Amino acid sequence: MFLQQRLHAGLLDAMVGAGAQSIELFAARHHFDYADRTEVKELAKWFRSNDCRATLHQPIFDGRGSNWSKHVPPSINLIDVEKTRRIDAMDEVKRALEAAEQIDIDSMVLHLGTANDTWNERTLDISMTAVEHIKAFAAPLGVKTLIETLPNDVTTPEHLMEMLRIGHLDSVNVCLDVGHMNLHGMGGVAAAYEILGDRIKQLHLHDNGGEKDEHCWPGEGTVKWDEVRAGIAALKQPPTGTLEIRYEPEIDAKSMSANAATAFHMLEQPVGQK
């Protein structure tokens, strides 16, 4: 939500004030400059002083000045067809992971592919290599590796489970993006829970009307939130749930806190209750 702004203690305080128990750091240098050791040290100090956990979202821009926008395609692709671009992407992701040397980060969410990437043997092989490499780098830092369900052919629940099985990636798990699963052709939230089961360790929570990846507040679209709650209840361990809401220029920290508190309250209701 505040991805266009520089992340600072005031915004973190507002999120905790809304009820957040964990905050996902989106690795975009104009927002959270993971390459600036002073900035990382300041955020590490905040997390040590507050009862709040941290997760990390991999960078999707290469750090050379690209600011996030829904109109700008990602410039980092870990499974790019060009090897040199894959290497550059890997280096940037590892650079972001180094923040875990100071910030106690629980997990990192990975993007595999773009909307145009297709599922085939070559894609499977490149994906497993990328995940294995990142897992090996992240594990000594105490960071778990999670792969996000994106609206592409590579990271459907079925293909993710195939990748984890063939690659023997037993310690790698999944971030289920609820909004992505609600898009037409993605199979729906209930089916994703059934396929992925206890490999789901984190949720990205947002809403849409099924046509576009709008990142609306829960309840503003057509996501079946009762299915989301039922899926959470069926898991052996409750996943971390991250509200991943679009940037809104007019919203301030106080309004965000109120909206987030409402969303958290809705998600905590018993299954079958509004």
Side-chain angles (χ1 to χ4, degrees):
M1 174 169 302
F2 297 116
L3 201 50
Q4 292 285 31
Q5 304 176 33
R6 176 68 71 181
L7 186 63
H8 57 79
L11 294 179
L12 295 170
D13 288 339
M15 296 179 209
V16 170
Q21 299 172 343
S22 181
I23 293 174
E24 185 172 85
L25 301 171
F26 199 107
R29 292 204 195 187
H30 68 278
H31 170 67
F32 162 47
D33 190 353
Y34 46 87
D36 185 329
R37 294 190 65 83
T38 300
E39 183 171 335
V40 173
K41 188 178 294 185
E42 290 176 355
L43 288 177
K45 181 180 179 181
W46 184 92
F47 277 101
R48 284 195 298 269
S49 302
N50 289 271
D51 186 20
C52 184
R53 304 295 297 170
T55 62
L56 181 67
H57 191 294
Q58 73 151 82
I60 60 174
F61 298 111
D62 59 18
R64 292 179 292 193
S66 295
N67 281 3
W68 174 85
S69 167
K70 64 182 179 180
H71 305 296
V72 178
S75 56
I76 283 181
N77 184 0
L78 289 164
I79 62 171
D80 197 284
V81 293
E82 294 185 23
K83 185 176 181 179
T84 56
R85 291 178 63 84
R86 294 200 302 272
I87 292 172
D88 289 344
M90 183 67 66
D91 287 345
E92 195 67 23
V93 171
K94 287 163 67 177
R95 195 171 290 117
L97 263 170
E98 288 175 350
E101 293 174 353
Q102 298 189 57
I103 303 173
D104 187 10
I105 294 172
D106 289 335
S107 59
M108 182 184 213
V109 174
L110 297 182
H111 275 204
L112 292 182
T114 65
N116 297 321
D117 284 299
T118 56
W119 180 252
N120 51 51
E121 287 189 18
R122 182 176 181 278
T123 303
L124 172 60
D125 184 58
I126 293 173
S127 297
M128 290 190 299
T129 299
V131 174
E132 183 65 45
H133 193 96
I134 289 171
K135 183 192 75 167
F137 190 85
L141 295 169
V143 180
K144 304 177 186 70
T145 301
L146 307 178
I147 309 173
E148 181 176 345
T149 55
L150 301 171
N152 65 21
D153 192 38
V154 179
T155 58
T156 64
E158 295 88 349
H159 290 162
L160 281 182
M161 290 302 289
E162 183 177 353
M163 186 189 308
L164 298 176
R165 177 181 59 81
I166 294 175
H168 302 287
L169 298 167
D170 299 330
S171 64
V172 176
N173 288 292
V174 176
C175 172
L176 174 62
D177 190 298
V178 169
H180 293 164
M181 289 298 99
N182 189 58
L183 295 171
H184 293 323
M186 292 303 295
V189 173
Y193 272 114
E194 184 175 350
I195 295 166
L196 296 169
D198 288 309
R199 301 305 288 265
I200 299 170
K201 301 300 181 183
Q202 185 169 336
L203 300 173
H204 279 171
L205 303 164
H206 53 97
D207 216 327
N208 59 61
E211 296 288 343
K212 298 179 181 179
D213 190 18
E214 298 170 292
H215 286 261
C216 301
W217 287 98
E220 292 183 347
T222 59
V223 168
K224 297 177 180 178
W225 290 100
D226 216 32
E227 291 183 358
V228 177
R229 294 196 292 260
I232 293 172
L235 298 178
K236 292 179 181 177
Q237 293 184 335
T240 300
T242 303
L243 287 169
E244 199 175 62
I245 311 300
R246 66 178 181 266
Y247 168 68
E248 299 176 358
E250 67 278 4
I251 199 166
D252 56 20
K254 184 177 180 181
S255 299
M256 183 280 298
S257 293
N259 289 352
T262 298
F264 289 143
H265 178 72
M266 182 271 287
L267 288 162
E268 290 165 355
Q269 297 305 304
V271 175
Q273 183 173 327
K274 297 293 185 180

